[in-house]
């Protein structure tokens, strides 16, 4: 018999925190909290395995499930002394979904399940509180009706709004038991109209309805979208938790709340959260009433903190905070309810946080001895460092304040205002920066939030959906900007008599909550403090070297500031495109004889030498890899008549001659055409000029800085040993010439890119000539798959969507195929030369999963764009600590 159901609370703790795959995160942690003695209402968890079995079996439950659920329900009844469906002393339960990772899109929780026309009387009598009983009942019909029966929640809200109008009150809590009774009656009529059947009165039917809805929600479109965005396999399944109710809506000594054990925005070690007196469930995040702060220190005038309103429950909560942090050794996100001054824990999980908070918490926990430094290094997701590299608003920049909300997720963003998620996605796909503006967001907005640079909502608090999701995604967010009103129909947002229309630019400051009309200048972030500390710890454990791909002095300086240990790829062709050079480059290409080409190259030499001298100076003492010209010549060709005329004039040809030459040079498939070392072999003078510029530049920089750089001359697109032999001989000859002329020699290497399948297959032979290999995984991916990156947009996304490929192979290395090639070339290279230096350049050098692969096969370094350098340093450290590629588990 398979065990489908695990009990928790009241002495029956069958689960543990490390059973999250089976019990889901919520269920596993409820059991764990109960085990360490925290007050958790008793309940049980139906496993994720049941979910999988349900889908494998045509959406039918196994036969033995019913008996197991009944038995566990019996344990709850025993523990609390109430019976499910009992007219006098009814047990009420909540039904809660809970996957391995917390996941928006799953079914919302149903509270107060078990109520019907009969049991509500029992609840009323037992509690002696009619308002409470009928409030609970209407909440149940509303939740069950919308979540399980699919009735539009607006239909329920209309009825309440009308009841409040009739009663002349503003707050829900001001409605009397009679009002709620009337609301319940109307609800039932409305539900019956909507679905053509009465609201279910049988508690067991209610229970199975809710359980079925949770499992059903696992495959709904919202959940599917979220899983796709976060690489979560559908086979994981969700669990269902059924738990005895505790009531935060029984009066002034009751409350419900959510909190974080540390500040999730900044990471500051202070208790952080919100609560509402006399409220239930998600009232706190729903924005119906304004939540109040937990601690007195955080209360503004007019606010009443939990510390003041419910001092003894608050003291218990502070103790729980301590217990949980020491137990889980991580910042926790907690949900709790207070019933008649007694605290109950309803959830704990590792709290979502900004990158800044993640860093600070990891560093402070290590400094406090809760975790060690290696653990701290593992705690920060390298990809999230991106957030810290986000710009913030320049304090000196002029700005026009439009409105203000809560600082829900830090960073600044400018973009055009867009009012719905589909449009946000569409416009951003076209390359526009958009800011998503919503009254509030729901899980249906995930794709729009993802596409937006920033998110603005006019309703909801620091723990609202928008705030939590934005922090998780690293999007700046201003939430609950109550002074701004949004009109979806008119597509406007207005505040203080001013109006902004859809498509006009606005700017958000997620750190202050301010909203500005128009764009505001931004500044680059600083790399000190916790960032520097954690990076230092990462550097102590990583083995891989981190270099950067850089052509310009600005890129090289930025990368060095970010900790790059040299340049792994400098693409010299970028230097050819500069306006004052392109004319000379064109003369070189157009020249129809060697003398003409040499004349043009002589003019290019000083430019290139100056470029290289700059790079060598900035990277003094560090290796600098310079790749000789790679792209096909036609990329530099003149197109417009004015350009053609310019070349004609400079070379003394007529314009038609030039046009003909341009046509001659054009290729059917330039990616596989006359490029890379093929150019160097057919026009050796080009590589000779570049080699000369490199060695002259290196000697100049060595004299200037007193520290010789180590130039690594890299020959692109090699597929045979002979190609490298020929081009290397040219470079060595130029080096010898320059050293003789300058009366000084320096150390240098000559190596090659491994970016063609043939080069992989003969890597042992190529290694006889090469001092190093650099894996050009962009081209290698194109040539191993036989697909052109520029055309892949038409089908690759569909491949990833359908799971034919797990990820875009240009973003994260295809370990199985391209990775096998890299491994093979590395092995063959080492077989020839034991100490052959090897690295990777290209997009993959900054991707954490690809970096883990590079660590595994023992490469010497990775090279990535300057802004990815910190990401790569941390990812390399984690790879050295054995953190796997899968970050979702
Ligand atoms: P989510 O996954 O959306 O956070 P939960 O299952 O945690 O949903 O439920 C949301 C809220 O409902 C909880 O924070 C809590 O306030 C309330 N809740 C859930 N179960 C109970 C219960 N047994 N008693 C009282 N309140 C509950
Ligand atoms: Mg929820
Ligand atoms: Mg919850």
């Amino acid at each position: 018999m398979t065990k489908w159901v695990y009990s928790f609370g009241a002495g029956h703790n069958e689960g543990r925190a490390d059973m999250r795959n089976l019990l889901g995160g919520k269920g596993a942690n409820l059991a764990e909290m109960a085990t360490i003695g925290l007050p958790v209402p008793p309940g049980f968890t139906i496993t994720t395995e049941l979910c999988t079995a349900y889908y494998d079996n045509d959406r039918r439950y196994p036969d033995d499930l019913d008996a197991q659920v009944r038995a566990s329900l019996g344990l709850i009844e025993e523990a609390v002394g109430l019976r499910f469906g009992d007219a006098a002393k009814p047990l009420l339960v909540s039904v809660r979904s809970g996957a391995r990772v917390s996941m928006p899109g799953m079914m919302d929780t149903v509270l107060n399940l078990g109520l019907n026309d009969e049991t509500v009387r029992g609840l009323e009598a037992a509690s002696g509180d009619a308002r409470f009983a009928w409030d609970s009942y209407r909440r149940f019909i509303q939740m069950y009706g919308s979540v399980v029966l699919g009735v539009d929640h607006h239909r329920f809200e209309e009825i309440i709004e009308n009841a409040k109008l009739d009663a002349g009150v503003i707050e829900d809590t001001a409605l009397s038991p009679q009002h709620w009774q009337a609301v319940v009656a109307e609800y039932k009529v409305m539900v019956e109209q909507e679905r053509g059947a009465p609201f279910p009165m049988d508690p067991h039917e209610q229970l199975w309805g809710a359980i079925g809805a949770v499992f059903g929600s696992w495959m709904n479109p919202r959940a599917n979208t979220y899983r796709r965005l976060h690489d979560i396999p559908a086979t994981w399944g969700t669990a269902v938790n059924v738990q005895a109710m505790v009531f935060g809506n029984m009066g002034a000594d009751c409350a419900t709340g959510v909190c974080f054990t540390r500040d999730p925005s900044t990471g500051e070690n202070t208790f952080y959260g919100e609560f509402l007196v006399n409220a239930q469930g998600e009232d706190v995040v729903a924005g119906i009433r304004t939540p109040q702060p937990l601690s007195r220190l955080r209360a503004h005038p007019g606010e009443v903190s939990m510390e003041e309103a419910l001092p003894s429950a608050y003291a218990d909560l502070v103790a729980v905070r301590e217990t949980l942090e020491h137990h889980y050794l991580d910042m926790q996100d907690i949900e709790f309810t207070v019933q008649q001054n007694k605290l109950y824990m309803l959830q704990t999980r590792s709290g979502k946080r900004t990158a800044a908070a993640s860093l600070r918490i990891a560093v402070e926990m290590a400094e406090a001895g809760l975790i060690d430094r290696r653990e701290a290094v593992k705690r920060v997701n390298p990809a999230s460092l991106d957030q810290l590299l986000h710009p913030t608003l320049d304090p000196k920049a002029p700005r026009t304040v439009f409105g203000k909300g809560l600082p829900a997720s830090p960073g600044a963003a400018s973009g055009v205002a867009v009012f719905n998620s589909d449009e946000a996605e569409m416009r951003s796909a076209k390359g526009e920066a958009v800011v998503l503006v919503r009254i509030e967001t729901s899980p249906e907005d995930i794709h729009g939030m993802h596409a937006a640079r920033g998110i603005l909502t006019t309703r909801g608090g620091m723990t609202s959906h928008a705030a939590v999701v934005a922090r998780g995604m690293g999007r700046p967010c201003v939430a609950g900007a109550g002074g701004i009103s949004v009109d979806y129909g008119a597509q406007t947002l207005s505040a203080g008599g001013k109006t902004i229309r859809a498509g006009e630019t606005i700017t958000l400051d997620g750190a202050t909550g301010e909203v500005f009309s128009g764009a505001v200048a931004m500044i680059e972030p600083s790399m000190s403090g916790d960032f520097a500390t954690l990076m230092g710890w990462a550097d102590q454990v990583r083995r891989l070297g981190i270099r950067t791909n850089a052509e310009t002095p600005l890129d090289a300086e930025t990368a060095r500031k970010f900790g790059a240990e040299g340049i792994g790829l400098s693409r010299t062709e970028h230097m050819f495109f500069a306006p004052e050079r392109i004319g000379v480059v064109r003369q070189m290409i157009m020249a129809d004889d060697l003398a003409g080409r040499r004349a043009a190259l002589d003019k290019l030499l000083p430019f290139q030498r100056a470029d290289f001298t700059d790079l060598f100076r900035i990277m003094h003492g560090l290796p600098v890899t310079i790749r000789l010209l790679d792209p096909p010549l036609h990329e530099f060709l003149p197109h417009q008549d004015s350009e053609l005329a310019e070349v004609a004039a400079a070379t003394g040809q007529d314009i038609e001659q030039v046009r003909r030459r341009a046509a001659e040079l054009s290729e059917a498939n330039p990616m596989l055409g006359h490029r890379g070392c093929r150019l160097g072999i057919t026009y050796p003078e080009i590589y000779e000029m570049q080699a000369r510029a490199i060695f002259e530049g290196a000697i100049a920089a060595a004299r200037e800085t007193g520290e010789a750089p180590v130039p690594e001359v890299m020959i692109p697109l090699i597929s045979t040993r002979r190609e490298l032999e020929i081009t290397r001989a040219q470079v060595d000859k130029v080096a010898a010439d320059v050293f003789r002329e300058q009366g000084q020699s320096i150390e240098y290497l000559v190596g090659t890119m491994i970016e063609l399948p043939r080069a992989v297959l003969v890597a042992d032979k190529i290694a006889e000539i090469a001092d190093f290999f650099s894996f050009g995984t962009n081209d290698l991916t194109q040539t191993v798959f036989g697909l052109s990156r520029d055309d892949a947009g038409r089908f690759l996304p569909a491949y990833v969507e359908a799971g034919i490929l797990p990820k875009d192979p240009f973003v994260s290395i295809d370990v199985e195929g391209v990775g096998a090639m890299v491994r093979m070339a590395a092995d063959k290279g080492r077989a020839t030369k034991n100490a052959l230096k090897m690295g990777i350049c290209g997009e993959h050098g900054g991707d954490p999963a690809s970096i883990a692969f590079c660590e595994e096969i023992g490469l010497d370094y990775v090279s990535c764009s300057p802004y990815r350098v910190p990401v790569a340093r941390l990812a390399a450290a984690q790879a050295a600590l054995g953190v796997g590629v899968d970050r979702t588990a």
Side-chain angles (χ1 to χ4, degrees):
M1 187 193 84
T2 315
K3 183 167 172 59
W4 304 113
V5 180
Y6 288 70
S7 293
F8 59 81
H12 297 276
N13 294 320
E14 297 178 314
R16 283 187 322 268
D18 62 8
M19 288 162 72
R20 75 161 36 225
N21 291 358
L22 183 65
L23 303 179
K26 200 180 283 172
N29 283 329
L30 282 167
E32 185 82 9
M33 282 198 292
T35 304
I36 61 174
L38 294 180
V40 176
F44 59 83
T45 304
I46 307 178
T47 65
T48 56
E49 278 176 2
L50 187 279
C51 182
T52 309
Y54 171 78
Y55 280 106
D56 286 349
N57 194 23
D58 270 340
R59 303 196 179 216
R60 280 196 315 271
Y61 298 124
D63 294 337
D64 47 357
L65 179 65
D66 187 67
Q68 294 187 31
V69 165
R70 271 175 199 279
S72 294
L73 196 58
L75 294 176
I76 304 181
E77 293 176 331
E78 220 174 281
V80 299
L82 302 169
R83 289 189 75 78
F84 194 57
D86 190 279
K89 292 175 81 184
L91 165 69
L92 305 188
V93 295
S94 62
V95 177
R96 319 170 63 186
S97 59
R100 274 195 218 186
V101 287
S102 121
M103 211 178 93
M106 297 303 301
M107 192 198 81
D108 286 334
T109 298
V110 174
L111 302 179
N112 310 326
L113 188 140
L115 280 174
N116 57 28
D117 292 349
E118 205 177 29
T119 54
V120 69
R121 301 279 173 198
L123 187 65
E124 179 176 344
S127 65
D129 184 346
R131 189 209 60 84
F132 155 70
W134 287 93
D135 176 49
S136 301
Y137 192 20
R138 68 88 191 173
R139 284 170 184 270
F140 169 58
I141 299 178
Q142 188 169 342
M143 277 188 257
Y144 193 92
S146 61
V147 166
V148 179
L149 303 178
V151 177
D152 188 345
H153 63 101
H154 293 116
R155 300 299 313 274
F156 296 99
E157 280 150 25
E158 274 162 23
I159 293 175
I160 297 199
E161 286 310 312
N162 285 334
K164 287 201 283 192
L165 273 181
D166 290 348
V169 303
I170 292 169
E171 298 253 313
D172 290 7
T173 41
L175 289 175
S176 70
Q178 290 73 29
H179 290 128
W180 286 127
Q181 229 165 330
V183 165
V184 163
E186 280 187 64
Y187 273 5
K188 286 199 300 187
V189 171
M190 184 273 288
V191 169
E192 184 159 357
Q193 271 169 2
E194 286 284 311
R195 65 186 286 265
F199 188 89
M201 286 288 130
D202 174 11
H204 285 280
E205 185 189 338
Q206 294 171 356
L207 180 61
W208 285 103
I211 291 172
V214 174
F215 290 131
S217 71
W218 179 249
M219 289 295 180
N220 75 23
R222 281 173 8 187
N224 283 328
T225 303
Y226 186 87
R227 276 199 293 274
R228 182 162 43 76
L229 287 174
H230 295 258
D231 294 331
I232 298 172
T235 49
W236 278 8
T238 181
V240 177
N241 300 290
V242 176
Q243 187 176 27
M245 282 300 301
V246 286
F247 300 99
N249 58 334
M250 271 182 136
D253 56 356
C254 303
T256 179
V258 296
C259 55
F260 292 86
T261 56
R262 300 183 188 217
D263 186 325
S265 272
T266 64
E268 191 187 340
N269 189 4
T270 56
F271 208 10
Y272 180 93
E274 296 173 324
F275 86 113
L276 270 180
V277 162
N278 199 12
Q280 193 176 47
E282 304 210 300
D283 288 1
V284 178
V285 293
I288 298 165
R289 279 190 277 149
T290 310
Q292 304 291 302
L294 291 187
S295 86
R296 204 172 44 203
L297 284 174
R298 284 195 182 256
H300 297 294
E303 293 181 329
V304 181
S305 67
M306 180 173 174
E307 190 172 1
E308 296 155 291
L310 299 164
S312 97
Y314 179 76
D316 293 344
L317 189 61
V318 170
V320 166
R321 171 192 182 218
E322 201 63 21
T323 308
L324 285 177
E325 273 215 347
H326 276 87
H327 186 72
Y328 285 97
L329 302 175
D330 195 9
M331 187 264 267
Q332 297 291 297
D333 168 354
I334 303 172
E335 297 173 13
F336 65 91
T337 283
V338 177
Q339 176 177 331
Q340 295 167 318
N341 286 319
K342 176 155 172 41
L343 174 71
Y344 292 95
M345 299 309 301
L346 293 171
Q347 189 168 342
T348 191
R349 63 186 153 191
S350 168
K352 280 206 168 55
R353 60 202 82 179
T354 62
S358 171
L359 268 178
R360 178 161 178 184
I361 291 169
V363 168
E364 290 187 355
M365 284 196 159
E367 281 169 351
L370 281 171
I371 56 177
D372 66 20
R373 288 179 177 187
R374 289 167 165 254
E375 180 59 29
V377 165
K378 289 197 213 168
R379 286 285 172 90
V380 178
N381 182 350
S384 79
L385 293 180
D386 246 3
Q387 284 182 43
L388 295 179
L389 311 172
H390 271 329
T392 47
L393 294 184
D394 179 350
K396 291 189 285 283
R399 64 197 69 194
T400 314
V401 177
F402 180 73
K404 191 164 171 35
L406 300 168
S409 177
S414 276
V416 296
V418 165
F419 294 90
N420 79 67
S421 288
D422 290 344
E423 194 186 338
E425 192 175 44
M426 230 170 55
R427 295 179 78 146
S428 124
K430 289 193 196 137
E432 251 181 301
V434 305
V435 170
L436 180 65
V437 181
R438 301 284 301 163
I439 295 175
E440 59 196 333
T441 63
S442 75
E444 278 120 27
D445 292 312
I446 296 286
H447 63 296
M449 298 174 74
H450 202 258
R453 295 283 173 87
I455 297 136
L456 168 64
T457 67
T458 55
R459 219 186 267 162
M462 295 295 288
T463 50
S464 65
H465 178 264
V468 171
V469 174
R471 283 197 294 268
M473 286 181 178
R475 296 290 180 281
C477 174
V478 173
I484 298 179
S485 67
V486 166
D487 183 337
Y488 288 141
Q491 295 273 292
T492 56
L493 63 158
S494 21
K498 282 186 238 143
T499 297
I500 294 177
R501 262 166 254 289
E504 293 178 359
T505 299
I506 59 171
T507 299
L508 307 179
D509 186 346
T512 62
E514 284 166 308
V515 182
F516 308 97
S517 45
V520 181
M522 313 223 178
I523 48 168
E524 295 304 317
S526 104
M527 303 284 104
S528 54
D530 297 326
F531 181 88
T533 306
L534 193 90
M535 283 297 158
W537 295 347
D539 289 344
Q540 284 165 12
V541 295
R542 76 179 151 84
R543 183 195 62 80
L544 277 167
I546 309 296
R547 299 197 196 176
T548 191
N549 301 346
E551 287 86 43
T552 65
L554 179 65
D555 278 354
E557 269 159 14
T558 306
R560 187 145 200 188
K561 194 176 75 201
F562 286 160
E565 300 160 312
I567 290 179
L569 174 63
S570 183
R571 302 173 172 96
T572 50
E573 59 271 17
H574 287 233
M575 302 164 174
F576 281 30
F577 282 108
E580 70 278 17
R581 308 178 189 184
I582 185 81
V584 187
V585 174
R586 286 178 180 149
Q587 289 168 34
M588 185 262 295
I589 298 170
M590 291 300 170
D592 39 28
D593 59 4
L594 180 63
R597 259 194 313 276
R598 280 215 193 276
L601 285 166
D602 284 347
K603 289 191 227 165
L604 279 176
L605 176 64
F607 286 123
Q608 287 255 285
R609 188 171 47 221
D611 293 335
F612 297 147
T613 310
D614 281 345
L615 293 183
F616 289 137
R617 184 187 309 114
I618 295 165
M619 289 289 164
H620 59 91
L622 296 174
V624 174
T625 307
I626 291 172
R627 182 181 69 185
L628 302 186
L629 193 65
D630 180 30
L633 291 182
H634 84 109
E635 284 198 10
F636 303 99
L637 284 180
H639 299 292
Q640 287 151 12
D641 283 350
S642 61
E643 294 168 346
L644 289 165
E646 198 187 308
V647 176
T651 56
Q653 295 167 302
D654 71 50
I655 194 161
E656 281 319 306
Q657 243 177 313
V658 175
R659 206 188 298 280
R660 214 169 324 114
R661 175 85 176 133
E664 249 168 55
L665 281 167
S666 94
E667 293 177 301
N669 195 343
M671 190 189 86
L672 302 177
H674 192 187
R675 54 172 281 211
C677 68
R678 300 162 193 173
L679 283 176
I681 287 174
T682 45
Y683 301 115
E685 55 282 2
I686 299 179
Y687 277 11
E688 279 167 20
M689 180 279 285
Q690 292 196 296
R692 175 167 285 275
I694 292 171
F695 295 118
E696 290 181 356
I699 290 176
R703 288 182 180 150
E704 228 181 276
T705 63
E707 241 182 324
V710 184
E712 299 183 349
V713 181
M714 182 152 81
I715 317 279
L717 218 75
I718 289 288
S719 54
T720 75
R721 177 187 188 278
R722 184 68 185 135
E723 283 171 324
L724 187 59
E725 198 171 35
I726 294 170
T727 42
R728 167 158 205 156
Q730 292 166 12
V731 172
D732 286 338
K733 169 157 190 319
V734 173
D737 289 349
V738 172
F739 296 161
R740 192 166 4 88
E741 289 159 22
Q742 303 277 337
Q744 180 178 348
S745 41
I746 52 165
E747 192 194 333
Y748 71 96
L749 305 177
V750 181
T752 180
M753 304 273 282
I754 299 287
E755 52 190 332
L756 293 173
R758 193 183 193 285
V760 171
L761 298 173
V762 300
D764 46 347
K765 303 210 173 62
I766 291 176
E768 290 168 8
I769 314 286
D771 299 326
F772 65 89
F773 282 175
S774 175
F775 292 96
T777 47
N778 295 348
D779 264 314
L780 191 60
T781 300
Q782 300 203 78
T783 52
V784 168
F785 272 96
L787 61 78
S788 121
R789 184 180 185 175
D790 298 327
D791 301 311
R794 307 231 175 109
F795 55 91
L796 257 193
Y799 267 48
V800 174
E801 178 110 350
I804 297 169
L805 287 174
K807 277 181 188 167
D808 180 338
F810 291 105
V811 173
S812 199
I813 195 163
D814 157 45
V815 172
E816 187 183 21
V818 178
M821 296 291 265
V822 173
R823 192 190 295 267
M824 180 183 199
D827 290 346
K828 280 176 169 278
R830 285 195 199 103
T832 301
K833 268 190 198 153
N834 200 4
L836 189 71
K837 196 163 171 185
M838 282 184 278
I840 185 176
C841 55
E843 295 306 306
H844 300 102
D847 168 62
S850 309
I851 292 171
F853 172 74
C854 295
E855 170 71 23
E856 189 188 312
I857 61 167
L859 298 191
D860 298 297
Y861 67 89
V862 300
S863 186
C864 57
S865 63
Y867 276 84
R868 299 298 287 180
V869 166
V871 174
R873 283 164 73 191
L874 185 54
Q878 294 188 350
L881 292 173
V883 176
V885 172
D886 182 7
R887 308 191 161 275
T888 41

